[in-house]
Amino acid sequence: MISTESPHPASGVIDRPIPMVDLAGQYRRLKDEIDRAIEDVVSSTKFIKGPVVAAFEEELAAYLGGRHALGVGNGTDALQVALMALDIGPGDEVITPAFSFVAAAETVALLGAQPVFADIDPATFNIDPVHAASLVTDRTAALIPVHLYGQAADMDAIMHLADAHELPVIEDGAQAIGSTYKARTTGYIGRIGCLSFFPSKNLGCYGDGGAVLTNDPALHKRMTEIANHGAERKYRNDRVGLNSRLDALQAAILRVKLRHLDSFTSARREAAQRYDRLFAGMSEIVTPSTAPESSHVYHQYTIRIADGDAEERNRLSAHLRDVGLATAVYYPEPIYRFDAYKNGLRDAGGLPETERACNEVLSLPMHTELTADQQERIVDNIGEFFKRHRNV
Ligand SMILES: *Cc1c(COP(=O)(O)O)cnc(C)c1O
């Protein structure tokens, strides 16, 4: 983490490095509750399905104000199960942003369908519904908006587009658990919502985990079967499914953490507001803008380096790394730049806002244990980088 090669003596003393996430710090706070939950599962020996998983699914749906939630193996499987339940396959096209984690495009392609990439709204980094509309063809079979960094996509416009063409919407809510759009919880606005409980997500377990959400009982039943070998009941496997279930151990950990999710989210929002205040007046930095109709849960706090220079952004990130401050670029490349996905680009020359974002974004440490002092150090060091840089 801390480079020994190029210390910047002028940058102040490195006392303790600041990581992107602090899972150990959070565990120390919740240790008693979590250890007890794990022990209970181990002594019950109900490791697959069973009462703890069922209880978590019920509590999750209740927390989010929806009807059904089904635990699955991870967030990527959640997307796959959702697509399979909607019979997406060869000949179909699915519109999704190219500025995201690869999972949505990957599962579409895995099922033999074609992901087609929409550009983003530069203010929110979320799918641009106007551009998405221009990509609809008679092969379009679904839309997958991603609620990137924890902020809802423009769901009124997405649902309007979907309804006009009778398309189902799958919400990729892996980064946005508990976020709302016009007072509705994301994940239950479209036909199906997908969550990830990857350890660093806002509600993270201690391994892989995910969930699919829906208000439609028939769809819930179909997804339950698909995620369990396509079995309607034991040894009755009429459809091809997969083995993708949430572990009881992970469900037990998630039940504990779900009880703290409101306070986790508040901590993230407070940290985001503090970053906003600390950056006020620093003209080289664009802080995240929040759309008034959506409530951001800040999976990431992502700034832009004004004026689209990846080289400068990378130098800033290296400078911070050298003084022990972690940052990350989500995401450095549009998905259509990868060989497996290049056919999904319909606009010769690329998607301008996607490419600009790839060059400009930098995500800063954001987690439930972040302190004001740590944030001040991060922002001070960013300010200092630009001061020096301007003088060169
Ligand atoms: C994390 C993530 C996923 C995949 O979740 P896994 O649990 O890692 O499979 C999907 N989409 C987005 C936007 C993500 O951030």
Side-chain angles (χ1 to χ4, degrees):
M1 286 256 211
I2 301 171
S3 161
T4 48
E5 289 151 33
S6 77
H8 288 259
S11 298
V13 190
I14 302 171
D15 35 348
R16 297 167 83 198
I18 303 177
M20 282 297 283
V21 294
D22 182 8
L23 299 178
Q26 191 191 64
Y27 173 60
R28 280 195 295 276
R29 262 197 308 127
L30 306 179
K31 186 176 184 328
D32 290 346
E33 281 176 90
I34 287 179
D35 289 359
R36 202 172 330 118
I38 292 173
E39 262 179 48
D40 287 350
V41 173
V42 174
S43 40
S44 81
T45 71
K46 292 206 168 65
F47 297 117
I48 305 289
K49 298 267 182 192
V52 175
V53 175
F56 171 66
E57 289 170 341
E58 258 172 48
E59 289 160 6
L60 178 65
Y63 176 85
L64 297 173
R67 249 172 116 167
H68 301 285
L70 170 72
V72 294
N74 55 69
T76 308
D77 280 3
L79 289 158
Q80 183 176 340
V81 168
L83 288 161
M84 288 172 75
L86 297 171
D87 286 319
I88 306 294
D92 292 333
E93 294 177 352
V94 177
I95 299 171
T96 191
F99 185 66
S100 183
F101 184 62
V102 74
E106 180 182 32
T107 48
V108 169
L110 190 67
L111 294 171
Q114 176 65 57
V116 174
F117 296 112
D119 208 355
I120 53 166
D121 171 348
T124 62
F125 300 103
N126 279 320
I127 190 167
D128 170 357
V130 175
H131 186 242
S134 75
L135 298 169
V136 173
T137 69
D138 53 10
R139 299 184 148 215
T140 307
L143 305 174
I144 309 184
V146 181
H147 305 309
L148 202 72
Y149 302 147
Q151 177 166 229
D154 182 354
M155 289 307 288
D156 274 356
I158 294 292
M159 294 311 291
H160 183 75
L161 174 64
D163 292 345
H165 299 275
E166 293 180 36
L167 298 170
V169 171
I170 299 172
E171 297 172 70
D172 181 345
Q175 302 186 2
I177 188 167
S179 68
T180 59
Y181 179 86
K182 295 193 174 169
R184 298 174 66 193
T185 313
T186 60
Y188 287 103
I189 301 173
R191 288 290 296 284
I192 302 175
C194 297
L195 298 177
S196 165
F197 307 124
F198 187 82
S200 60
K201 297 280 156 81
N202 288 25
L203 179 66
C205 61
Y206 291 171
D208 274 311
V212 283
L213 313 172
T214 187
N215 282 324
D216 176 340
L219 209 43
H220 174 69
K221 180 170 181 286
R222 202 177 314 154
M223 293 196 288
T224 305
E225 293 169 9
I226 288 169
N228 193 29
H229 301 287
E232 196 207 322
R233 54 181 193 280
K234 213 166 193 185
Y235 307 126
R236 182 73 223 185
N237 308 80
D238 279 324
R239 62 159 69 232
V240 176
L242 56 151
N243 176 3
S244 185
R245 299 172 298 221
L246 180 67
D247 270 16
L249 278 169
Q250 302 304 344
I253 292 160
L254 289 164
R255 286 186 79 193
V256 171
K257 287 212 194 180
L258 185 61
R259 295 198 285 268
H260 296 276
L261 186 55
D262 279 344
S263 76
F264 292 168
T265 303
S266 307
R268 288 174 179 276
R269 286 185 175 140
E270 274 166 38
Q273 281 165 10
R274 189 175 300 113
Y275 272 136
D276 285 348
R277 286 196 300 275
L278 292 169
F279 278 121
M282 201 185 290
S283 60
E284 298 89 348
I285 293 299
V286 182
T287 55
S289 57
T290 50
E293 60 276 6
S294 77
S295 68
H296 205 313
V297 296
Y298 293 99
H299 175 58
Q300 299 296 342
Y301 185 90
T302 301
I303 58 174
R304 278 181 191 266
I305 313 306
D307 291 329
D309 183 343
E311 199 259 330
E312 183 180 38
R313 186 267 318 272
N314 296 344
R315 268 193 289 133
L316 169 60
S317 148
H319 165 84
L320 296 172
R321 185 195 58 221
D322 288 347
V323 293
L325 308 178
T327 59
V329 177
Y330 305 117
Y331 295 87
E333 300 263 13
I335 295 172
Y336 53 76
R337 289 273 178 261
F338 307 137
D339 279 346
Y341 303 103
K342 58 185 182 222
N343 291 339
L345 178 62
R346 293 292 142 82
D347 301 67
L351 304 177
E353 290 302 341
T354 295
E355 308 220 342
R356 193 158 74 86
C358 289
N359 290 335
E360 293 183 349
V361 293
L362 190 65
S363 296
L364 305 182
M366 170 53 80
H367 52 79
T368 57
E369 318 302 304
L370 199 60
T371 66
D373 174 60
Q374 289 177 316
Q375 292 186 271
E376 280 160 23
R377 268 175 58 209
I378 292 162
V379 176
D380 284 351
N381 274 278
I382 293 174
E384 197 186 310
F385 170 86
F386 285 114
K387 227 178 278 163
R388 274 209 266 157
H389 177 67
R390 258 190 256 123
N391 296 337
V392 175

